[in-house]
Every structure is written in structure tokens, then in C-alpha cells.
């Protein structure tokens, strides 16, 4: 018996030693680790990408079934060498960044400079920053990257570009990161002059099959395609009388022999109903069960478009026969671009309160990365990149823990001995910042009242003759003499019907609808009393006021923390926080002055009445010619901002 056990143990140790050491993991360890010796152990029965860390005598042992697991184990050990033993495996097998990078180097909705990918220099010259990028991603468990914009140029599939893509894939591979591409559905017509891109035409299916073969001959572990089809003017199968399923399955079949996948986006809103919030559901729900197994439907977290707060998209619960994944937006298109602190982990964990992570196959985040020195523009936006990766690995992690990890590693001067009270003030800034943005931009369920085009400042009055109604704020806020908000109840657009019971009834009833979604689902009379006892009008004023004072408070706290913050970051962030506070006042003044035209009620006590008349507020015209990178300096040139400096004492 004993001999048997000894033999089995010997066999096991033979198995665990039978592979060479994982080389990237070892290199990263040697580069960064200063503690006791670490041994890698090959444990084939573990899950892909999983790792375990334990102590054996004075050494650490990192076990994994594969090299990526070993690498993740190293980064995890570097983050925390105390809570041992532990074993971890990722919640989602696919954890992807989506770059909205164009081939000309611009980044759609990017606020961190130009694209990191230097397409002109590739494939011959490979920037060392690609390696930094790969490491940063591997550190937080990202295992895939879609390199180009969903509004995709067909050129990305030309042979010249594929060779460049292959070069990037070579850099990322040792870090466990696969490359994917966004593809334009009309590529066969544009690149090779086919007369059609009809997904059922034999010449089209052949074209995609050959293209897939070509891609895999260059990149054997290529991940697959991301597709934005029949949305905002992009071509798609419906141009040829076919369905989303026809289009997605055709691409999926071309990739299948190579193990690739298709991520087909559900961000569509052709006006098949008067309410935009219902359209994606209406278009996709009937297609449930019609997609091939290697298709995943990629759904934005909310039914409209990455607003500071949205209820979850009901489509997540409506396609049980189809693989689904969530798309979050890490770049702050609607949350102050690179100027505002908006730590997004609380927004994403809020989503997971409604949508179970186990119901999703994958997770994607629209990247906030560019070629600026710190890769994220606003140094604090690095926390969102970190948070996205960490939650993609483990959606149960608390925002506080994630924020602490990031603050400790990136913000503080090492060994700075920051007093607890100042540290918790800093931490609290991160944790309250998203809610502060909601308060000073769109409290109580308001949404999409941004200035047309740049999605930065307020423009609830915006009216552009001939523009699509659902691109204009009035469509969403519905302000009138009676009240404010979009009636999506059974007596209105009936969007509530897309939610399951008992949530549906809860949302439908003005008294039980969570107040954070009140104006999303209800047209509420100005004098309706809320839980606080305030009328809607008063509560709205208080929320805007609270948003402003919170943003102003951030300037003070940041100043207090100055001795403990890395000096190269302090001044930069201080400037952005001042802009944020000024913007918060701008939002409050503009929205309240405008809505007051309808409510005709006085400002309640405790709320500083805006001094600028509405007509003057309407004249503020941000000198943002390049919406992609409005620097604080540019914004400071706005007269209004100059006239209301941030109070820091
Ligand atoms: C919106 C952006 C637009 C994107 C679109 C999308 O404003 O630039 O192309 O979403 O996700 O949020 O396709």
C-alpha cells in the first residue's frame, strides 16, 4: 500500500516536472520579485489560466496547468504575498479590450492621445510600448484585444495590414493575449470588388473562408472577429435582406475550422419603435437560438449608450439559447473625457447586481488607452483600466479593494506613510466619483442630455432641425410644464415589459421604482414627493448641488494629500480636478436654469442659485475642435470657467 502511494507520488512529481519552466512568468518574476525563491509546478488537472500559490518551507510554489496561469500567479504574488495559500481562476474565459482605434492613428472617443499602434512603422519597427501594454494587460488578466475601431475600415483585412497585425500578435502572445479584429461587413466588396456582401452568396462565403485561412496562416492563434453591423450607417446583412444571424453565422463558419469566434454587437437602434431603449431587444430577442455556437452577442451594459447611469439592458435576460457577453466602456465618453475623475468599478459592480456573471461567456471593455506618456491621458483613468481587468477576472471584488490596489501601486510615493484620514479621503474620492458625476450631470435617471457631437458638456435645450429625434436631448428628458422624464411604463412606451417580473412591476410603479432610475422610467410631476420628502424639483436641485460640492471637495482633498502623492502626477491631476469642479457648476447651472423654464419653481434653500441667465449659458461653446482630446488648457480658455474658479478653501 505504502509503496503504491510512493509510486503514485513519484509519478505525480514526474508529471509536474515534465515541462520546462514557463519563460515569461520566470522573466517577470526575475524582473520584479524580491522575496523568497519561487518554484513553478505544472499541474495538468487545473483549469486553463488558473493558478495556485502556496508556501513550502521558505519557498513559494506557483502551480498552474499552463504558462498563462503561471504568469498570472506571478502577478498575483506580486500584488499580495500574504493571503496564502490561495487558488484563483477567471470568472470569464474571454476578457477583452476593444480599441476604437482608426488606421489613421485617431481614436474614436479616445482621450489619451493617438493610437498606440503605429501602423506606418509596423511590421518592421516594433515600439517597446507594445510590450509595456502587454504586461499591463497580463498583470490584470486581460487575455484578448480587438485592435481596431468597430466602425471598421475594410483595409484592416488587406494582406499588408494583416502582416502588421501578426507582428503585434507575436509581441502579445507570450503574455497570454490573443488579437482579434473588428471587421467591416462590406469588406469583400471594398477590398476585392465583389458585387455583393450578401452572406448567403457563395462567392461571399468563399471570400471570408479564404480570408480566414490567410489570417490563420499568419496568426495561428488569432481570436476572431468583432462586428458592428447595420448600426449607425455600418453595412450589414440586412442590406441584403438577411438577418443578423445569417451574417454572424456566415463569418462564424469561416472561422470555425481554426477555432475562432464572432462577437456580434447588439448596439442597433433603427427606429422600429418610438423608444430607442427598446430597439436592440426587439431586433435581437426573436433571433435567440439561431446563432452558431461560436457566435457571442456583445451587448452594451445599458439599453441606450454608456450613460453615467443606465438600468441594465433587458436583452441580457432574453436570449437564453445564445452566448452573451457584456460591453463596458472604460473610456469616459459620457463621463467627462480625460478631465473628470470617474472611477467606474461601482458602475460595473452595480451591473452585476442585476446580471449574473455566470450567465455571460465573455466581457469586453472599450479601451481608454492611447499613446500619451501614461497611456490613459488622465493619470487617474489608469484606475479604470485596472478595475476593468480585475472585475473581468473576478466580478465579486469590491470597488474599494480595487481602488486601494491601484492607489497603493500608482499614486502614492513609496513609503510615504500617509495618515489614515488622508488615505481614506483619497479612497473615498474614487469610490464616490461616479455617483458625483451622475449627480452633477444627470441625476435621478436623466440621460443623454449632452451637447450634440462631443458628449462632454450639457445641452438639454439642443434642437437641430432635421436631426434624428433620438440624437437630441429633448427626446430623452421630455421636460414640460407638468414634469420631467421618459414614460416607459405600461402607460407610456412600455419598455418595462422587456424586464422580468418582479422587477417589471417594481419599475412600472412610480412609488417602487428605484429613484436612481425614476426619470428613466417615469414622467414625474414637478411637485411629486420623493422618499426624502422633497418635491421632484427640489430633489433635482439638491442632487445637482451635491454633485458640485463633491467635485469641489475633491480639489481640497487632493491638495491635502499632496505630500504623499507622486509629484509628477499631483499638478496634472489638480488641474483636471479644477476643470471637473468648474464643469460640475456648468452642468448644474445649465440644467437647472433650463428645467426651471418648465417647473417655474424657486430654488430651494441650501442651493446656490445660478447667476448666469440661461441665454448666456447657452452661448458657451467649447472650443473643442478636436473632440478626441480636449485638454484642460483648452477648456480653461472658456470664459465661463475662468469666471468661476474652483474654491479650494
Ligand atoms: C457610441 C459612440 C460612437 C460609437 C458607438 C458604438 O458615440 O462613437 O461608434 O457608440 O458603440 O457610444 O458603436
Amino acid at each position: 500500500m505504502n509503496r503504491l502511494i510512493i509510486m503514485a507520488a513519484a509519478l505525480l512529481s514526474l508529471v509536474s516536472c515534465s515541462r520546462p519552466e514557463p519563460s515569461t512568468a520566470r522573466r517577470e518574476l526575475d524582473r520584479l520579485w524580491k522575496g523568497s525563491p519561487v518554484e513553478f509546478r505544472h499541474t495538468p488537472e487545473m483549469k486553463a489560466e488558473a493558478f495556485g500559490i502556496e508556501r513550502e518551507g521558505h519557498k513559494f510554489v506557483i502551480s498552474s496547468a499552463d504558462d498563462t496561469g503561471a504568469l498570472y500567479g506571478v502577478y498575483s504574488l506580486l500584488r499580495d504575498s500574504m493571503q496564502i495559500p490561495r487558488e484563483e481562476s477567471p470568472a470569464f474565459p474571454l476578457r477583452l479590450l476593444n480599441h476604437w482605434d482608426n488606421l489613421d492613428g485617431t481614436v474614436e472617443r479616445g482621450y489619451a492621445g493617438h493610437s498606440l499602434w503605429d501602423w506606418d512603422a509596423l511590421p518592421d519597427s516594433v515600439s517597446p510600448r507594445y510590450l509595456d501594454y502587454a504586461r499591463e494587460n497580463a498583470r490584470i488578466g486581460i487575455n484578448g484585444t480587438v485592435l481596431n475601431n468597430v466602425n471598421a475600415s475594410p483595409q484592416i483585412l488587406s494582406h499588408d495590414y494583416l502582416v502588421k497585425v501578426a507582428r503585434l500578435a507575436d509581441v502579445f502572445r507570450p503574455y497570454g493575449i490573443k488579437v482579434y479584429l473588428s471587421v467591416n461587413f462590406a469588406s469583400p466588396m471594398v477590398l476585392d470588388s465583389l458585387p455583393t456582401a450578401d452572406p448567403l452568396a457563395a462567392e461571399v462565403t468563399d471570400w471570408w473562408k479564404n480570408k480566414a485561412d490567410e489570417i490563420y496562416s499568419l496568426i495561428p492563434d488569432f481570436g476572431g472577429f468583432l462586428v458592428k453591423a447595420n448600426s449607425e450607417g455600418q453595412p450589414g446583412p440586412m442590406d441584403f435582406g438577411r438577418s443578423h444571424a445569417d451574417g454572424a453565422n456566415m463569418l462564424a463558419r469561416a472561422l470555425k475550422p481554426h477555432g475562432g469566434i464572432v462577437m456580434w454587437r447588439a448596439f442597433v437602434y433603427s427606429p422600429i419603435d418610438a423608444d430607442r431603449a427598446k430597439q436592440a431587444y426587439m431586433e435581437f430577442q426573436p433571433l435567440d437560438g439561431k446563432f452558431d455556437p461560436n457566435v457571442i452577442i456583445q451587448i452594451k451594459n445599458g439599453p441606450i449608450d454608456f450613460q453615467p447611469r443606465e438600468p441594465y439592458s433587458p436583452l441580457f435576460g432574453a436570449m437564453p439559447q445564445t452566448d452573451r457577453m457584456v460591453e463596458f466602456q472604460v473610456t469616459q465618453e459620457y463621463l467627462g473625457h480625460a478631465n473628470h475623475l470617474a472611477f467606474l468599478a461601482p458602475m460595473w459592480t452595480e451591473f452585476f447586481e442585476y446580471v449574473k456573471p455566470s450567465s455571460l461567456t465573455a466581457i469586453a471593455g472599450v479601451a481608454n488607452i492611447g499613446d500619451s506618456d501614461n497611456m490613459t491621458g488622465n493619470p487617474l483613468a489608469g484606475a479604470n483600466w485596472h478595475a476593468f481587468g480585475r472585475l473581468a477576472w473576478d466580478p465579486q471584488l469590491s470597488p474599494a479593494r480595487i481602488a486601494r490596489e491601484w492607489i497603493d501601486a500608482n499614486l502614492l510615493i513609496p513609503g510615504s506613510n500617509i495618515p489614515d484620514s488622508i488615505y481614506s479621503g483619497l479612497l473615498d474620492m474614487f469610490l464616490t466619483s461616479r455617483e458625483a458625476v451622475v449627480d452633477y450631470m444627470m441625476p435621478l435617471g436623466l440621460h443623454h442630455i449632452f451637447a450634440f457631437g462631443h458628449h462632454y458638456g450639457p445641452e438639454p435645450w439642443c434642437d437641430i432641425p432635421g436631426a434624428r429625434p433620438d440624437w437630441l436631448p429633448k427626446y430623452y428628458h421630455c421636460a414640460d410644464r407638468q414634469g420631467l422624464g421618459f414614460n416607459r411604463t405600461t402607460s407610456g412606451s412600455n419598455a418595462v415589459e422587456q424586464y422580468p417580473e418582479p422587477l417589471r412591476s417594481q419599475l412600472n410603479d412610480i412609488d417602487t421604482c428605484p429613484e436612481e432610475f425614476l426619470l428613466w422610467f417615469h414622467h414625474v410631476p414637478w411637485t411629486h414627493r420623493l422618499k426624502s420628502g422633497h418635491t421632484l424639483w427640489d430633489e433635482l436641485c439638491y442632487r445637482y448641488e451635491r454633485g458640485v460640492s463633491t467635485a469641489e471637495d475633491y480639489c481640497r482633498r487632493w491638495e491635502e494629500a499632496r505630500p504623499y502623492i507622486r509629484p509628477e502626477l499631483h499638478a496634472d491631476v489638480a488641474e483636471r480636478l479644477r476643470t471637473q469642479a468648474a464643469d460640475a457648476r456648468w452642468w448644474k447651472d445649465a440644467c437647472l436654469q433650463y428645467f426651471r423654464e418648465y417647473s417655474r419653481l424657486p430654488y430651494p434653500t441650501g442651493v446656490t442659485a445660478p447667476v448666469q441667465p440661461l441665454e448666456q449659458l447657452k452661448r458657451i461653446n467649447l472650443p473643442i475642435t478636436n473632440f478626441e482630446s480636449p485638454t484642460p488648457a483648452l477648456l480653461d480658455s472658456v470664459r465661463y470657467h475662468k469666471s468661476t474658479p474652483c474654491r479650494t478653501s
Side-chain angles (χ1 to χ4, degrees):
M1 180 66 179
N2 262 350
R3 271 184 55 196
L4 259 180
I5 292 174
I6 291 165
M7 271 172 66
L11 212 72
L12 213 75
S13 77
L14 212 75
V15 171
S16 53
C17 296
S18 64
R19 276 170 65 107
E21 275 209 336
S23 55
T24 314
R26 172 54 70 190
R27 238 192 348 265
E28 287 300 90
L29 194 72
D30 292 346
R31 201 168 66 84
L32 302 165
W33 174 247
K34 307 217 167 14
S36 325
V38 175
E39 184 187 307
F40 292 102
R41 194 163 290 166
H42 181 59
T43 322
E45 65 277 9
M46 283 181 82
K47 282 203 228 146
E49 301 184 307
F51 63 83
I53 307 178
E54 62 199 312
R55 283 203 89 120
E56 268 181 17
H58 73 300
K59 69 178 183 210
F60 289 99
V61 176
I62 297 181
S63 318
S64 68
D66 51 29
D67 292 0
T68 312
L71 181 63
Y72 292 159
V74 168
Y75 290 130
S76 178
L77 179 65
L78 286 160
R79 217 170 5 243
D80 173 9
S81 54
M82 306 304 283
Q83 305 289 318
I84 285 174
R86 64 175 186 272
E87 250 187 75
E88 292 188 25
S89 65
F92 306 99
L94 301 173
R95 305 171 300 279
L96 274 70
L97 282 181
N98 286 184
H99 288 265
W100 285 1
D101 293 22
N102 298 313
L103 304 188
D104 66 2
T106 57
V107 180
E108 182 153 335
R109 314 300 179 183
Y111 314 103
H114 280 85
S115 173
L116 203 54
W117 324 132
D118 188 347
W119 293 113
D120 291 341
L122 282 163
D124 303 327
S125 157
V126 174
S127 158
R129 302 197 78 186
Y130 303 153
L131 181 59
D132 299 341
Y133 166 87
R135 281 180 174 145
E136 283 312 308
N137 278 325
R139 197 195 288 277
I140 50 174
I142 302 283
N143 68 359
T145 177
V146 183
L147 296 175
N148 61 317
N149 193 355
V150 286
N151 297 315
S153 162
Q155 294 309 321
I156 194 73
L157 290 181
S158 66
H159 188 76
D160 285 357
Y161 270 95
L162 291 178
V163 172
K164 296 168 195 270
V165 171
R167 202 62 199 88
L168 286 173
D170 292 342
V171 179
F172 301 158
R173 187 169 297 112
Y175 292 84
I177 299 165
K178 284 186 180 181
V179 299
Y180 298 73
L181 293 175
S182 292
V183 299
N184 182 303
F185 202 78
S187 297
M189 299 171 76
V190 182
L191 287 181
D192 284 315
S193 306
L194 260 59
T196 177
D198 179 347
L200 301 193
E203 60 201 309
V204 174
T205 52
D206 283 353
W207 189 91
W208 284 104
K209 202 188 144 307
N210 292 334
K211 190 49 81 180
D213 294 346
E214 180 189 349
I215 295 174
Y216 280 92
S217 70
L218 294 164
I219 312 164
D221 56 353
F222 179 70
F225 295 149
L226 171 64
V227 193
K228 172 176 178 176
N230 294 116
S231 164
E232 298 187 330
Q234 292 300 315
M238 289 156 94
D239 302 343
F240 308 94
R242 313 296 182 194
S243 71
H244 287 287
D246 293 329
N249 293 342
M250 181 273 291
L251 295 178
R253 284 165 202 167
L255 295 170
K256 183 155 183 265
H258 308 282
I261 60 161
V262 169
M263 293 163 289
W264 192 269
R265 293 176 91 228
F267 178 65
V268 294
Y269 56 104
S270 40
I272 46 174
D273 186 272
D275 183 358
R276 171 170 167 186
K278 291 166 67 182
Q279 291 162 11
Y281 182 111
M282 292 174 75
E283 212 166 302
F284 274 85
Q285 188 279 332
L287 297 173
D288 187 29
K290 302 212 161 73
F291 292 94
D292 279 13
N294 60 332
V295 175
I296 311 176
I297 301 301
Q298 179 164 319
I299 309 168
K300 289 189 182 183
N301 56 292
I304 301 260
D305 191 12
F306 298 139
Q307 298 300 292
R309 171 167 276 124
E310 295 196 27
Y312 79 94
S313 166
L315 190 54
F316 285 105
M319 301 187 76
Q321 321 280 3
T322 308
D323 279 354
R324 285 146 288 146
M325 63 190 285
V326 62
E327 177 179 317
F328 290 139
Q329 194 178 43
V330 188
T331 189
Q332 290 169 233
E333 173 180 359
Y334 293 104
L335 289 101
H337 296 192
N339 289 322
H340 297 198
L341 164 63
F343 178 59
L344 299 175
M347 170 147 110
W348 300 330
T349 48
E350 184 175 298
F351 168 84
F352 289 124
E353 283 169 23
Y354 291 92
V355 178
K356 275 210 218 87
S358 59
S359 69
L360 305 175
T361 310
I363 178 166
V366 180
N368 61 349
I369 296 160
D371 71 351
S372 66
D373 289 347
N374 57 20
M375 289 199 209
T376 54
N378 185 339
L380 303 187
N384 285 332
W385 182 3
H386 180 80
F388 171 71
R390 298 289 285 135
L391 287 173
W393 180 269
D394 180 0
Q396 311 298 336
L397 289 177
S398 75
R401 167 160 171 197
I402 297 170
R404 261 190 261 113
E405 282 175 7
W406 191 83
I407 292 172
D408 296 353
N410 298 282
L411 221 49
L412 302 180
I413 299 172
S416 69
N417 254 333
I418 182 168
D420 286 352
S421 61
I422 299 192
Y423 186 86
S424 39
L426 262 185
L427 180 63
D428 188 65
M429 275 173 70
F430 279 76
L431 297 179
T432 56
S433 56
R434 180 276 187 136
E435 203 62 45
V437 175
V438 170
D439 277 346
Y440 64 68
M441 286 188 183
M442 291 171 229
L444 295 170
L446 283 174
H447 50 290
H448 227 316
I449 56 176
F450 291 96
F452 195 80
H454 57 68
H455 298 167
Y456 184 82
E459 204 175 11
W461 52 82
C462 174
D463 203 359
I464 296 180
R468 269 181 75 148
D470 56 0
W471 282 2
L472 297 175
K474 288 180 178 178
Y475 172 93
Y476 298 98
H477 64 63
C478 306
D480 59 20
R481 277 294 290 125
Q482 279 67 52
L484 183 64
F486 198 128
N487 182 359
R488 296 193 164 103
T489 67
T490 41
S491 70
S493 80
N494 201 16
V496 289
E497 192 194 37
Q498 297 179 342
Y499 289 90
E501 287 291 12
L503 185 60
R504 180 192 302 168
S505 301
Q506 193 194 344
L507 297 173
N508 194 51
D509 183 341
I510 195 167
D511 293 324
T512 55
C513 179
E515 281 184 353
E516 65 266 29
F517 300 128
L518 193 62
L519 304 176
W520 185 285
F521 288 106
H522 295 266
H523 189 67
V524 181
W526 292 111
T527 51
H528 176 82
R529 297 240 165 238
L530 303 194
K531 293 198 188 84
S532 59
H534 301 139
T535 62
L536 169 66
W537 168 249
D538 284 359
E539 185 67 27
L540 196 70
C541 294
Y542 287 129
R543 299 279 176 128
Y544 275 107
E545 184 73 19
R546 185 172 75 183
V548 172
S549 52
T550 307
E552 289 182 338
D553 198 43
Y554 292 164
C555 300
R556 280 190 286 275
R557 289 195 215 174
W558 189 249
E559 202 39 52
E560 242 170 52
R562 181 202 288 269
Y564 314 101
I565 303 279
R566 297 184 186 208
E568 70 277 14
L569 300 183
H570 194 274
D572 179 349
V573 170
E575 169 104 31
R576 291 176 204 263
L577 292 174
R578 276 195 292 275
T579 305
Q580 177 168 13
D583 286 343
R585 277 194 300 281
W586 175 30
W587 270 95
K588 175 194 132 186
D589 291 2
C591 294
L592 289 184
Q593 292 287 63
Y594 172 73
F595 290 134
R596 195 158 169 254
E597 303 261 292
Y598 296 95
S599 80
R600 302 199 193 148
L601 292 166
Y603 290 111
T605 28
V607 170
T608 317
V611 282
Q612 314 253 14
L614 183 60
E615 283 320 304
Q616 197 168 331
L617 289 159
K618 283 185 180 176
R619 276 200 296 275
I620 296 171
N621 194 1
L622 284 192
I624 306 175
T625 42
N626 174 6
F627 296 141
E628 308 307 339
S629 36
T631 61
L634 253 180
L635 291 171
D636 259 356
S637 70
V638 179
R639 193 162 47 89
Y640 176 72
H641 284 212
K642 283 205 166 146
S643 68
T644 56
C646 181
R647 296 191 300 266
T648 49
S649 58

